[in-house]
Amino acid sequence: QSSLRLLSLVVVMTISSLLSSYSSSVPLRPSTSSCPIFATAFQIQASVSVPQQQLSTNRLLNHDTDKIETLVKEKLNRIATGYQIHGEKMKRTLEMELELSGKVEKCFMGDNADGHNQSLLLSTKLKEKKVRLEECLAVNDRVVHQLLATNSKGGQSSLFRDVQFIPSAAAGSTGEYDDLGQLMGNGGLVEGGETKKETDGYDTALQVIHHTARDWTVGAAPCRDETILWIVRAIVQYYTRDGGSNDGRNDLRVLIPGAGLGRLAYEVATCKDLIVKGVVPHVEANDSSVTMIFAAQNVIKMLQQQQYQHQQEGNRQLQSAIYPFLSDAQVNEIDARKRFEMEVFPDEHAVDSYKCYHDLTGTHPNLSFTVGDFVSTYSQQSKQNQYDVVATSFFIDTATNIYEYIYIMKHMLDTNGVWVNCGPVQWHPCALLRPTVEQLKDMLQVAGFELISWSVADEAVAYRHPDDVGGKGLEARYTRSEAYRPLQFVARLLSSQDDGSSSNEDLPLKIQYSEFLNEVANGKIEVN
């Protein structure tokens, strides 16, 4: 028997549909207006990947749907509550530092401690920090609850319109289905269970704040320009200048795996340079985390609300404050004041993009979200030849087996479709294969991709905010920084006649066998 690969919950969220009432933002300027476009209940479709045995023996019960909804709500509530627990821990740590510093200063300086310039003492600075910390934690706590809210308006009582079940790609399945808590991804962790991934993995409130700042604040715009917008520019160039073809259709079918808080998907969906050329993007964003998708949904609600406010009342801004650096590790810090720097979201460019799209088309962006395991979801036969573009940003190094990602990309893309990538090859702990950039290049060519462009960026790009690295006139935040020189490529899928490869029609079976081999390599399945 093997340890089951964590099953995945796949939730399809059609953002372009009318949304439920927006109610939980923390606006800088409060609004009392209601928005008609949110009057209809927001529709969510769920598709759950389960072991093959259950599909063949009809072991799934009707109450599973209600149980999944309950688990999602409980999960998001736990994560939001987890930020309060995190905040209390930060305050306790600071209380300890404050008490210790005061006593040590008294120890070394004696009665003269009070005679020194109080503003220079560490204890004084920590008292000031305590006040700011409590204020900023309260703001961030409201933001987390705002972004993970599932409360519905307009008569909506269910998170999901309907639930569908699809076969899982997981190997060695015993057919057990008694832990629906495992349906929501592994949170970026190999081991540790549900609790661990909600405190240390991808599914945490801190990651929501981190990704919100990176995707939706003006301060992170330079980082997005070198990554997200590089991808958008590459798509525009291919389909408006380089003769890219989608068989004469005016719609462009785009998939964004590993979409996070959704900014790349949003930028492609609202891209003016495509729209004015008569190309209408239909964008589907995928992520393994329900946490990220609900947060992304609520940011989109803010943008739709902003568009309505613009139409009704002029340029009145609906933005929320956020302190993205508040919970950074207390190491390598140069100036404590930078920890308390505030950003607002969504940024003005995002607001303007929505308005521009609406002005050009008279409608809302064609943007949907799918939550679930990338391998199980997109290796399905129904996904073959369904996309003109697959765009990946900081995604490919999440693969357990990169061959699976490559051949799923090939499976999904239509003939002459393109895979556009920007990101490092910082293979995650789950990775069993860790090719170099040059090895990866050969792997794509063998799989049947023509490399239109392939390069590693000359300069390192900060992952979250330019100040994290500093330089170029910027005041650095830390003595050590996290930055990447991303691999950037555009790869066109050749026709099967051109590449001489076998058909992808049996991909689901190949993926299942590959998953079995992964489990063997991990030592989870013993082969006699």
Side-chain angles (χ1 to χ4, degrees):
Q1 301 295 330
S2 69
S3 297
L4 287 178
R5 177 179 178 154
L6 297 180
L7 302 177
S8 61
L9 172 65
V10 183
V11 182
V12 180
M13 299 180 170
T14 308
I15 301 298
S16 55
S17 63
L18 299 178
L19 301 181
S20 58
S21 179
Y22 171 68
S23 62
S24 58
S25 68
V26 190
L28 296 181
R29 303 177 187 178
S31 170
T32 57
S33 302
S34 60
C35 178
I37 65 173
F38 301 146
T40 303
F42 178 52
Q43 299 289 302
I44 303 176
Q45 179 179 336
S47 180
V48 181
S49 61
V50 297
Q52 300 270 353
Q53 292 92 325
Q54 292 178 260
L55 290 178
S56 60
T57 58
N58 297 317
R59 292 184 58 200
L60 299 173
L61 303 175
N62 290 335
H63 72 265
D64 285 340
T65 298
D66 295 334
K67 192 171 183 180
I68 290 169
E69 290 200 2
T70 299
L71 284 165
V72 171
K73 291 177 181 179
E74 290 176 349
K75 177 186 179 72
L76 296 177
N77 183 64
R78 281 197 309 273
I79 292 171
T81 302
Y83 187 77
Q84 297 173 333
I85 297 172
H86 163 77
E88 291 302 317
K89 182 178 179 180
M90 286 190 71
K91 287 188 280 188
R92 287 196 301 271
T93 300
L94 183 55
E95 287 281 2
M96 178 275 294
E97 292 177 340
L98 180 56
E99 180 180 0
L100 177 61
S101 62
K103 291 180 177 179
V104 171
E105 287 164 359
K106 193 76 170 177
C107 170
F108 282 99
M109 302 177 194
D111 295 336
N112 294 326
D114 295 335
H116 285 75
N117 188 337
Q118 293 293 308
S119 64
L120 299 180
L121 296 178
L122 178 60
S123 59
T124 300
K125 297 179 185 297
L126 292 179
K127 289 176 184 177
E128 296 170 353
K129 182 177 181 179
K130 180 183 177 182
V131 174
R132 291 292 291 134
L133 179 67
E134 291 176 348
E135 294 172 349
C136 297
L137 280 171
V139 172
N140 277 3
D141 182 63
R142 290 195 296 270
V143 167
V144 168
H145 280 82
Q146 164 195 342
L147 292 177
L148 300 185
T150 59
N151 52 312
S152 56
K153 299 290 183 180
Q156 182 185 7
S157 60
S158 173
L159 288 181
F160 309 126
R161 183 181 64 200
D162 63 288
V163 176
Q164 298 176 347
F165 296 92
I166 61 174
S168 172
S173 173
T174 64
E176 294 297 331
Y177 189 51
D178 55 5
D179 187 5
L180 290 175
Q182 297 300 310
L183 290 168
M184 289 167 279
N186 65 10
L189 301 175
V190 178
E191 305 289 348
E194 189 74 8
T195 302
K196 182 77 171 176
K197 72 190 182 188
E198 291 179 5
T199 56
D200 298 333
Y202 187 47
D203 286 338
T204 66
L206 292 182
Q207 287 292 327
V208 169
I209 292 173
H210 179 95
H211 281 75
T212 301
R214 191 185 71 165
D215 276 18
W216 298 103
T217 66
V218 68
C223 302
R224 292 195 299 270
D225 185 70
E226 298 297 324
T227 54
I228 287 174
L229 294 185
W230 182 92
I231 291 175
V232 177
R233 291 190 294 267
I235 295 172
V236 170
Q237 179 171 335
Y238 184 77
Y239 279 98
T240 64
R241 285 181 281 176
D242 289 351
S245 171
N246 51 341
D247 297 328
R249 294 178 284 104
N250 67 347
D251 64 310
L252 187 68
R253 303 165 299 172
V254 183
L255 176 69
I256 315 287
L261 256 289
R263 185 56 180 265
L264 173 57
Y266 178 78
E267 289 290 344
V268 176
T270 59
C271 180
K272 178 181 178 181
D273 290 338
L274 290 174
I275 300 298
V276 296
K277 295 288 187 179
V279 179
V280 181
H282 290 252
V283 181
E284 177 184 347
N286 161 252
D287 201 273
S288 64
S289 167
V290 291
T291 309
M292 292 296 167
I293 292 307
F294 272 89
Q297 172 207 350
N298 280 312
V299 174
I300 298 298
K301 285 183 181 182
M302 295 177 72
L303 290 164
Q304 290 190 315
Q305 178 79 359
Q306 176 63 53
Q307 174 61 25
Y308 174 71
Q309 293 288 357
H310 174 78
Q311 291 175 307
Q312 299 297 315
E313 305 174 26
N315 293 319
R316 190 155 164 256
Q317 297 299 310
L318 292 174
Q319 294 173 305
S320 289
I322 190 170
Y323 292 90
F325 318 109
L326 185 65
S327 297
D328 285 3
Q330 295 191 123
V331 293
N332 294 305
E333 196 171 9
I334 296 175
D335 186 343
R337 291 173 297 181
K338 293 185 74 65
R339 177 178 294 271
F340 301 104
E341 289 179 346
M342 185 189 75
E343 296 274 1
V344 296
F345 74 95
D347 59 286
E348 293 290 341
H349 176 75
V351 174
D352 292 343
S353 293
Y354 202 109
K355 178 181 181 299
C356 180
Y357 185 94
H358 191 273
D359 290 345
L360 289 171
T361 66
T363 185
H364 305 287
N366 295 293
L367 175 60
S368 65
F369 283 87
T370 301
V371 179
D373 176 65
F374 173 74
V375 172
S376 289
T377 305
Y378 294 97
S379 62
Q380 298 297 318
Q381 198 60 48
S382 60
K383 297 297 184 180
Q384 187 171 13
N385 306 129
Q386 292 302 300
Y387 304 96
D388 304 302
V389 179
V390 177
T392 51
S393 175
F394 285 74
F395 174 72
I396 61 174
D397 53 5
T398 66
T400 298
N401 186 326
I402 187 59
Y403 268 122
E404 294 180 356
Y405 277 22
I406 292 172
Y407 281 89
I408 290 173
M409 301 296 180
K410 180 177 180 179
H411 174 73
M412 295 186 298
L413 283 170
D414 212 346
T415 301
N416 293 321
V418 290
W419 177 5
V420 184
N421 175 78
C422 182
V425 287
Q426 181 173 280
W427 302 104
H428 286 209
C430 64
L432 297 173
L433 298 176
R434 303 175 179 87
T436 66
V437 167
E438 288 304 309
Q439 291 167 343
L440 185 62
K441 180 179 182 180
D442 293 339
M443 293 167 73
L444 263 67
Q445 291 176 312
V446 169
F449 285 92
E450 174 192 9
L451 303 181
I452 297 174
S453 67
W454 184 280
S455 64
V456 174
D458 292 332
E459 296 187 8
V461 179
Y463 180 70
R464 178 185 59 174
H465 191 282
D467 287 0
D468 291 346
V469 175
K472 297 183 178 179
L474 298 174
E475 183 180 350
R477 194 175 303 278
Y478 306 109
T479 57
R480 180 180 178 179
S481 61
E482 180 182 16
Y484 301 89
R485 295 175 58 219
L487 167 63
Q488 300 169 325
F489 68 76
V490 178
R492 182 176 72 92
L493 180 63
L494 299 172
S495 66
S496 57
Q497 293 84 357
D498 293 338
D499 66 17
S501 63
S502 61
S503 170
N504 249 11
E505 293 181 357
D506 57 351
L507 181 69
L509 290 176
K510 292 178 179 177
I511 291 294
Q512 289 180 31
Y513 183 57
S514 177
E515 289 289 299
F516 169 77
L517 295 177
N518 293 342
E519 299 288 74
V520 172
N522 266 324
K524 294 182 178 180
I525 296 178
E526 293 184 5
V527 178
N528 296 327

